[in-house]
Amino acid sequence: MKRCATCNQTYTDDLMFCLSDGTPLANLIEEVEQQTVIRPMPAVETLKSADSSGSIFKYIAAALGLLLILVLIGGAGMAWILWPRNGATPANSPAKNDLVNAAASPVPSPFRTSDNLNTNQSNLKDKEEALERERRRLADERKKLEDDKRLQTEKTELEPPRFNDPGTARISFRRGSVGETVSGTVGRSRSYVLRTLAGQYLSASIRSAGGCVVFSGGSSSTGFTTGSGDTRLTVENNCDRPSTFSMSLTVR
């Protein structure tokens, strides 16, 4: 049997060309043999490549293993060479340096520990004493502030109220009377006036608790001849707080 490679139609062996497109016919047996010969080639090459890669990996693994073994053997040899014999320590080994440093450092002793404890107790005692002094100082300052506040309060309570003396007051006699008595309170001084005639004689006296209030001349009584018009009398307080008084006067 033969087949057209273009239209895939089959013909008998006695034909040479395809009746449809004129393409030369090929035997089916030759095509199958050709395919059989061609197809196994990639598989064979792949197997060969895989075998070659596997061999390379095996060689590399073997080389690495050998190198690791050599490193371990070399390290063991160096350790055996450097390891001290009969308990001896190498000259520049860390163990020897540690021994030298330990020998050079001060050896702690019970006495040294006791000294440190005493020092700590002394420092603690000093701090406690400083705190106690500070506490006493604060207590003294607080007590002083309380005393100042109390004294200020007492002074405010004992201090007499401020008194403003009134202005000048006029004294008027009742009809037909030649005398009059007036009373009041004076802080420092205050004045009185009354109308008199020329040639009249005015006499006055003043009474107060403790004798605090007097006339401007310093006496508790006074007398003089008046002029025509307003005659003035001034009283003063010699005490440190306002005082009440009673003043009697006559004009003849």
Side-chain angles (χ1 to χ4, degrees), residues 136-155:
R136 287 197 299 266
R137 185 183 68 80
L138 293 175
D140 293 340
E141 290 183 357
R142 183 168 60 253
K143 185 175 182 302
K144 183 179 179 181
L145 291 174
E146 291 176 354
D147 292 342
D148 293 343
K149 184 177 180 180
R150 180 177 54 81
L151 292 175
Q152 186 66 26
T153 303
E154 292 177 355
K155 182 179 179 180

Side-chain angles (χ1 to χ4, degrees), residues 20-183:
S20 298
D21 49 23
T23 301
L25 300 176
N27 292 328
L28 290 176
I29 296 175
E30 294 178 359
E31 182 179 357
V32 171
E33 290 177 354
Q34 185 178 3
Q35 292 176 356
T36 303
V37 173
I38 294 172
R39 286 179 180 175
M41 291 302 292
V44 173
E45 292 179 358
T46 302
L47 291 174
K48 290 182 178 180
S49 177
D51 292 339
S52 176
S53 299
S55 299
I56 293 174
F57 284 125
K58 289 180 181 179
Y59 292 147
I60 293 175
L64 290 176
L66 181 61
L67 180 61
L68 180 60
I69 292 172
L70 292 176
V71 170
L72 292 175
I73 293 173
M78 291 297 293
W80 183 82
I81 293 173
L82 296 177
W83 191 260
R85 300 293 186 274
N86 298 328
T89 304
N92 295 325
S93 64
K96 183 175 182 180
N97 293 334
D98 293 340
L99 292 175
V100 173
N101 294 332
S105 62
V107 179
S109 64
F111 299 103
R112 188 175 301 278
T113 303
S114 177
D115 293 341
N116 294 335
L117 182 59
N118 292 334
T119 301
N120 293 334
Q121 290 178 350
S122 178
N123 294 335
L124 181 61
K125 185 177 180 181
D126 292 341
K127 292 180 179 179
E128 290 178 351
E129 291 178 354
L131 290 175
E132 181 64 20
R133 288 194 299 270
E134 184 67 16
R135 187 187 65 80
R136 287 197 299 266
R137 185 183 68 80
L138 293 175
D140 293 340
E141 290 183 357
R142 183 168 60 253
K143 185 175 182 302
K144 183 179 179 181
L145 291 174
E146 291 176 354
D147 292 342
D148 293 343
K149 184 177 180 180
R150 180 177 54 81
L151 292 175
Q152 186 66 26
T153 303
E154 292 177 355
K155 182 179 179 180
T156 303
E157 292 176 353
L158 295 176
E159 189 177 60
R162 296 182 63 85
F163 180 81
N164 295 323
D165 290 316
T168 301
R170 179 171 291 277
I171 300 175
S172 299
F173 289 177
R174 293 183 296 274
R175 183 178 293 274
S177 176
V178 296
E180 189 65 40
T181 299
V182 296
S183 61

Side-chain angles (χ1 to χ4, degrees), residues 14-27:
D14 56 348
L15 294 176
M16 298 297 293
F17 299 95
C18 178
L19 298 178
S20 298
D21 49 23
T23 301
L25 300 176
N27 292 328

